[in-house]
Amino acid sequence: MSTSAPILAVMTPTREALIAAAADLLDRGGPEAVTLREVGRAAGVSHNAPYKHFADKSELLAAIAARELSRQSEIIAARDGPVLSARDLMHGYVRRALRYPERFKLTFRRWERDAAGLGEAASQAHGLLVAAVTCAQAAGELPSGDPERMSSLVRGLAHGAADLALSGHLKSGGKGNADPDTLVDDLFDYLRLAAAK
Amino acid sequence: MSTSAPILAVMTPTREALIAAAADLLDRGGPEAVTLREVGRAAGVSHNAPYKHFADKSELLAAIAARELSRQSEIIAARDGPVLSARDLMHGYVRRALRYPERFKLTFRRWERDAAGLGEAASQAHGLLVAAVTCAQAAGELPSGDPERMSSLVRGLAHGAADLALSGHLKSGGKGNADPDTLVDDLFDYLRLAAAK
DNA sequence: ACCTGAACACCGTTCAAGT
DNA sequence: ACCTGAACACCGTTCAAGT
C-alpha cells in the first residue's frame, strides 16, 4: 500500500536542495540573484554540480515553477474543512501571487518546451478550479455554460488583477479601491447578477 | 505655436537608436538577447556608449517599456474614425500583447523606481480607457459605479487573459474556445446583463 | 558633450579527472 | 552515479583618454 509515492517526490536530496536554494535566492533578490554559483554555494555543493541534475539554468528555473504550481494544488487539496468555493480559490490565487511575487512572475514566463512536467502541474491546479466553478454554476451563483470557459474567465481576472498590482499598474486611482481582491469580488458579484438573468 | 513639442520627443538620435535596437533584439530573442554589446553594435556605436544615455542596462529596458506604453496611447489617439469603445480598446490591448509578447512582458515587470517616465505613460493610456468606460456606462452597456474601478476590472481581465495565453496556460481545454478575445467578449456580455439588472 | 578601448569582476557552460 | 577544479567565452560596468 505504501509503495506508491507521488511522482514529483522522486527526487534526490541534492536536486531538491538545489531547487529550494534557487527558489530562496529568487524570493530574496529576483531572477538576477539566481546564479548557479550562488545556488551551489547555498546548497553546499560546487558551482557546477547543478549540471548533474539539470540540463542548464533554464531547466532549474522551470523546476521552481513546476514546484510552485504543485504547491498551489497541494494547499487547496490539503484543506480539511469544506471544499473551497471558486471565489475563495481566486482569493487564494491572488494572495499567493502577492506573497511570492517573484515565483509568480517566474511561473508565467514563456517556457520553451513542456519543461519539467510544468504542464501537468498546471492542468492539475486548473482542474480543481473547474470543479469549483461547476459547483457554483449548479448553485446559481455563476452563469451556466462551458465550465472550462467560465474558469478561464474568473482565473483570467484574478491573474490579471494580481499581475497589474505587482507591476504597480493598479494604484493610479485616488481612492485606492482597485486592489486585486476587490476586483475578484466585483467580478463574482456581477456574474451572480448575470446568472439571475 | 510650433515651439511646444511632446515631452517624450526630446531625445538625441543616438538615444532613440539605442532604444530601437534594444527593442528589436528583445522582439527577436527575448530579454537574454538584449546585451549592451549587441545593442551598441546594432546602433553603430561602441559597446559602452549606452552609458552616456542611460545609467545602466535596467534604465535602457525601462525606456523600451515606456516607449511601448506611449505607443499604445498614440495608436488609440491617432484614430480618425469614431472613438473606440471600451470593448474594442480591450481587444486592441490583447492584440498588441499577442503581437509583441516580449515587450508586453517587459512592460509589466516590477520596476524599481518610477523609471523613465514609465508612470506617466501608463496613466495616460489608462485615462483613455476610463473615458471609454464612462461612455459605455452612460449607454447602459456597463454597470454604473466608479469608472476607475470598472476600468480596472475590464483591463484586469484583458491583461490576465493575454498573459495566460502568452504563457501557455489557456489551451488546456479541448474545444480551444478560451482564447483571450473570447474571454473579453464574455466579460462584456455578462456585464451588460448585470447592467440591465 | 559625446564617444572609444582597455581592463575587471562575474557568470553560464564545458571538460578532464577524481571517488 | 555523483562531484570537483580549472578553463573559456561572454557580459555589465568602470575608467582614463580622446575629439
Side-chain angles (χ1 to χ4, degrees):
Chain A
M1 300 299 185
S2 61
T3 53
S4 70
I7 290 179
L8 289 177
V10 182
M11 288 203 293
T12 155
T14 308
R15 179 188 160 97
E16 211 153 355
L18 288 169
I19 297 177
D24 200 51
L25 288 168
L26 178 72
D27 286 340
R28 286 198 214 285
E32 297 180 10
V34 185
T35 69
L36 290 181
R37 286 168 151 84
E38 205 61 38
V39 168
R41 229 170 67 85
V45 292
S46 77
H47 72 283
N48 52 13
Y51 286 94
K52 311 302 164 184
H53 301 271
F54 306 95
D56 52 14
K57 181 180 177 179
S58 166
E59 203 169 276
L60 170 59
L61 295 177
I64 301 178
R67 191 188 73 157
E68 187 62 14
L69 284 171
S70 296
R71 289 203 175 171
Q72 229 168 321
S73 301
E74 286 169 15
I75 289 172
I76 299 168
R79 277 181 56 98
D80 40 290
V83 174
L84 283 173
S85 68
R87 188 191 289 247
D88 288 341
L89 234 50
M90 290 302 95
H91 281 302
Y93 190 95
V94 166
R95 178 187 172 84
R96 188 150 185 95
L98 298 186
R99 196 179 192 95
Y100 299 104
E102 298 294 349
R103 295 188 205 172
F104 179 76
K105 283 290 193 182
L106 181 79
T107 302
F108 295 100
R109 274 194 188 177
R110 302 175 62 225
W111 299 102
E112 295 287 342
R113 296 195 37 183
D114 192 78
L118 217 150
E120 294 179 42
S123 67
Q124 185 181 353
H126 194 63
L128 291 165
L129 173 60
V130 174
V133 162
T134 305
C135 184
Q137 287 177 318
E141 302 237 331
L142 286 177
S144 58
D146 182 2
E148 285 252 18
R149 188 164 161 180
M150 181 62 63
S151 296
S152 293
L153 179 65
V154 298
R155 183 156 94 111
L157 185 273
H159 182 88
D163 197 49
L164 287 175
L166 287 180
S167 52
H169 287 257
L170 224 52
K171 60 186 178 199
S172 57
K175 305 178 187 170
N177 53 6
D179 61 291
D181 280 310
T182 300
L183 296 179
V184 167
D185 281 329
D186 281 358
L187 176 64
F188 275 95
D189 290 345
Y190 288 131
L191 288 178
R192 186 168 45 194
L193 251 64
K197 196 133 61 105
Chain B
M1 299 298 182
S2 61
T3 55
S4 70
I7 290 180
L8 288 177
V10 182
M11 288 204 293
T12 155
T14 308
R15 181 188 159 96
E16 212 153 354
L18 288 169
I19 298 176
D24 199 52
L25 288 168
L26 178 72
D27 285 339
R28 286 197 213 285
E32 297 179 11
V34 184
T35 70
L36 290 182
R37 286 167 152 84
E38 206 60 39
V39 168
R41 228 168 69 84
V45 291
S46 77
H47 72 284
N48 52 12
Y51 285 94
K52 311 303 164 183
H53 302 270
F54 307 95
D56 53 12
K57 180 180 177 178
S58 166
E59 204 170 275
L60 170 58
L61 295 177
I64 301 177
R67 190 188 73 155
E68 186 63 14
L69 285 171
S70 297
R71 291 204 173 170
Q72 228 167 324
S73 302
E74 287 168 15
I75 289 171
I76 299 167
R79 275 180 57 97
D80 39 290
V83 174
L84 284 173
S85 68
R87 189 191 288 248
D88 288 341
L89 233 51
M90 291 301 96
H91 281 302
Y93 190 95
V94 166
R95 179 186 171 85
R96 187 150 185 94
L98 299 186
R99 196 181 193 91
Y100 299 105
E102 298 294 349
R103 297 189 204 172
F104 180 76
K105 284 289 192 183
L106 181 78
T107 301
F108 295 99
R109 272 194 190 177
R110 302 175 61 227
W111 301 102
E112 295 286 341
R113 297 194 36 181
D114 191 80
L118 218 149
E120 295 178 42
S123 67
Q124 185 181 352
H126 194 61
L128 291 166
L129 174 61
V130 173
V133 162
T134 305
C135 185
Q137 287 177 317
E141 302 236 331
L142 287 178
S144 57
D146 182 2
E148 283 252 17
R149 187 164 160 180
M150 182 61 65
S151 297
S152 293
L153 179 65
V154 298
R155 184 157 92 112
L157 185 274
H159 183 89
D163 197 50
L164 287 176
L166 287 180
S167 53
H169 287 257
L170 224 53
K171 59 186 178 197
S172 56
K175 304 179 189 172
N177 53 5
D179 60 294
D181 281 309
T182 300
L183 296 179
V184 167
D185 281 329
D186 281 356
L187 176 65
F188 275 95
D189 290 344
Y190 288 131
L191 288 178
R192 185 169 45 192
L193 250 63
K197 197 124 73 89

